[in-house]
Amino acid sequence: MAEQLLEDKLTCAICLALYRDPVTLPCGHNFCGACIRDWWGPGEKACPECRESFPDGAELRRNVTLSSVLEVVRAERGPAASPAPAAGPDPGARCPQHGRPLELFCRTEGRCVCSACVVNECGLHERALLDVECQARKAQLRAMLEVTRQQTTQAESQLQELHLRSSQIQSSACTLASVVSGKFSCLLQALKMRQVMALRDIEVAKKQALAQAQEEEQRLQGHLEATARFDCRIRDLEQLDDPTFLQESQLLAPPGPLAPLTPPQWDADQQLDGLKESLSQLCGLLLDKGDPGGAPAEAADSGSLEAPGALALVPSPVCPLRRKLWQNYRNLTFDPDSANRHLYLSRQDQQVEHRPKPRGPAKPGSFELWQVQCTQSFRSGRHYWEVHTSNHSVTLGVAYPELTRHKLGPHTDNISHGPSSWGLCVQEDSAQAWHNGKAQRLPGVSGKLLGVDLDLASGCLTFYSLEPETQRLHTFHGIFTRPLYPVFWLLEGRTLTLCHRPEARLPSGLQEEVSGLS
């Protein structure tokens, strides 16, 4: 640092190099003898730094002390200390105005300058050596490059996120279009059938009203005929002689009194009221956002036009695999005595909701865990049921009767933690098939409608995702030696609904068996 400061003090302001034969002006500033003489020329003479005039007739005198100091500095630096040619300014680059080498950079004007430019034009400007300015600019460019690289990485990440979001939107739109198409398809079928029934009801009401009108018409026509006969008989009696008239008139009886007219029963408003109510129910079905069940698809299959209940399925196209599974459909109900205190049952024990506040004291035999099992159980045959979930963080499974109801450790569930139960845990980004404490990770479940197929004859337990299409998730293979109960676990704030199909019936021979097990 001290050596650099010394060199700065021994640098000529014109050539920006160490003094060569330094001379001193009357103002006290020092310059190389050749530099100041070349600078002045034949015109007026003045100091390049302070602009003080140099007296005419005065002579430049050599600064002996400064020359001695320069000799010492050059001796200490030696030939090896001389700056490498590559470190200095480009010897070929010269000032177009003065023809001198471009040695400095004027930061004020943003251009390369020579020593003459410094003295004449850039004396008060901010200046720097070319190599120093180059290093500073390179550092700035490297910083800018790092920023642009970070922006590039961020832009690529945002682009990837945008592509993923676009893919999700496309998939969601496709699923939504399928659901809406299914809703309208089912609605059109129901409307067509409702039209047929409405026209049939109108025809029946019309026939009944016209039949009443015909009966009244026949009654009135009979009365008119009777009065006409009575009138004719009186005219005939008037033509007889007195004895005969008296004898015959005693036998003549007039027609009975005319009864009040009974108008036919016909009320067009009443016909429209029933139709309005039916159409309102169908519109409510179309706008229903997700109560599970199966009424629309079932109505299309069976031809029934019953109003959709609280557990109606969102209408959607049914694939052949799901129709085949429906052949073994079972309507299940939750067992209230097994439900944890935080689980609230509703809709005739077909829906369960996990709430923060407990219901009250636990019942004997209820789960201390956040679980509930069904009333029904199965020991033979093939059985299928469907469940609608409000969100992720739920578990569907089956278990032997000995599945413990007590809480062991910090876990809030014990489905599939041991050898007596099997389960599918639906998480936010994936699903896991569990048995005997071992899990197999599965892809995420796209929909909230799930199916369970239990084939005891072949020893298969299969879980399906039913939205937007039927897809097998996992199959357990085993030998089931005892009755199996459907069992469920759900996190706080979640809701599970057992979907019902009106035509679902147990095969003959299994009804008593299931009832006995339950």
Side-chain angles (χ1 to χ4, degrees), residues 114-130:
C114 66
S115 57
C117 296
V118 172
V119 175
N120 291 336
E121 304 171 10
C122 306
L124 301 178
H125 294 176
E126 183 181 1
R127 305 183 301 273
L129 294 175
L130 288 181

Side-chain angles (χ1 to χ4, degrees), residues 193-421:
M193 299 181 69
R194 177 56 63 186
Q195 178 188 9
V196 173
M197 293 189 65
L199 294 177
R200 184 187 64 188
D201 292 343
I202 293 173
E203 185 67 21
V204 171
K206 182 191 74 171
K207 289 182 177 179
Q208 291 176 352
L210 292 179
Q212 293 176 359
Q214 186 175 6
E215 290 179 359
E216 286 295 296
E217 181 181 356
Q218 292 176 354
R219 181 180 65 81
L220 293 173
Q221 191 68 33
H223 188 81
L224 290 175
E225 292 177 355
T227 55
R229 289 194 299 270
F230 181 75
D231 183 77
C232 183
R233 180 61 178 164
I234 290 177
R235 287 195 299 267
D236 291 341
L237 288 177
E238 289 178 347
Q239 303 298 326
L240 299 176
D241 53 12
D242 293 342
T244 306
F245 171 78
L246 292 174
Q247 185 178 359
E248 293 293 334
S249 62
Q250 293 179 4
L251 300 177
L252 183 63
L258 180 63
L261 177 65
T262 303
Q265 297 298 320
W266 172 257
D267 189 351
D269 292 336
Q270 183 180 2
Q271 299 294 326
L272 290 179
D273 288 342
L275 183 60
K276 289 178 182 178
E277 182 180 359
S278 175
L279 293 179
S280 176
Q281 292 174 352
L282 291 176
C283 290
L285 169 62
L286 176 65
L287 299 177
D288 182 20
K289 288 187 176 180
D291 279 348
E298 294 158 4
D301 291 346
S302 63
S304 172
L305 284 176
E306 298 177 358
L311 302 179
L313 267 178
V314 174
S316 59
V318 181
C319 70
L321 174 58
R322 191 176 174 195
R323 285 189 185 278
K324 184 177 180 181
L325 293 171
W326 280 356
Q327 297 176 3
N328 302 295
Y329 203 99
R330 306 291 176 253
N331 291 331
L332 305 180
T333 54
F334 294 115
D335 181 6
D337 295 333
S338 69
N340 178 269
R341 298 168 55 205
H342 292 269
L343 302 184
Y344 289 74
L345 303 186
S346 60
R347 296 185 178 178
Q348 299 178 350
D349 296 338
Q350 298 171 24
Q351 187 175 86
V352 58
E353 180 182 5
H354 188 158
R355 300 179 186 175
K357 185 178 179 180
R359 289 180 282 107
K363 296 181 179 181
S366 64
F367 281 102
E368 296 178 358
L369 307 133
W370 295 344
Q371 295 178 182
V372 61
Q373 76 176 24
C374 287
T375 305
Q376 298 79 10
S377 65
F378 307 100
R379 70 167 74 232
S380 62
R382 186 169 186 176
H383 313 276
Y384 174 77
W385 58 92
E386 293 179 354
V387 179
H388 186 275
T389 68
S390 63
N391 209 329
H392 58 81
S393 301
V394 298
T395 299
L396 289 66
V398 296
Y400 288 143
E402 63 263 29
L403 180 67
T404 179
R405 307 295 176 96
H406 302 290
K407 184 176 181 181
L408 302 176
H411 297 290
T412 60
D413 72 312
N414 64 353
I415 301 175
S416 66
H417 288 190
S420 61
S421 58

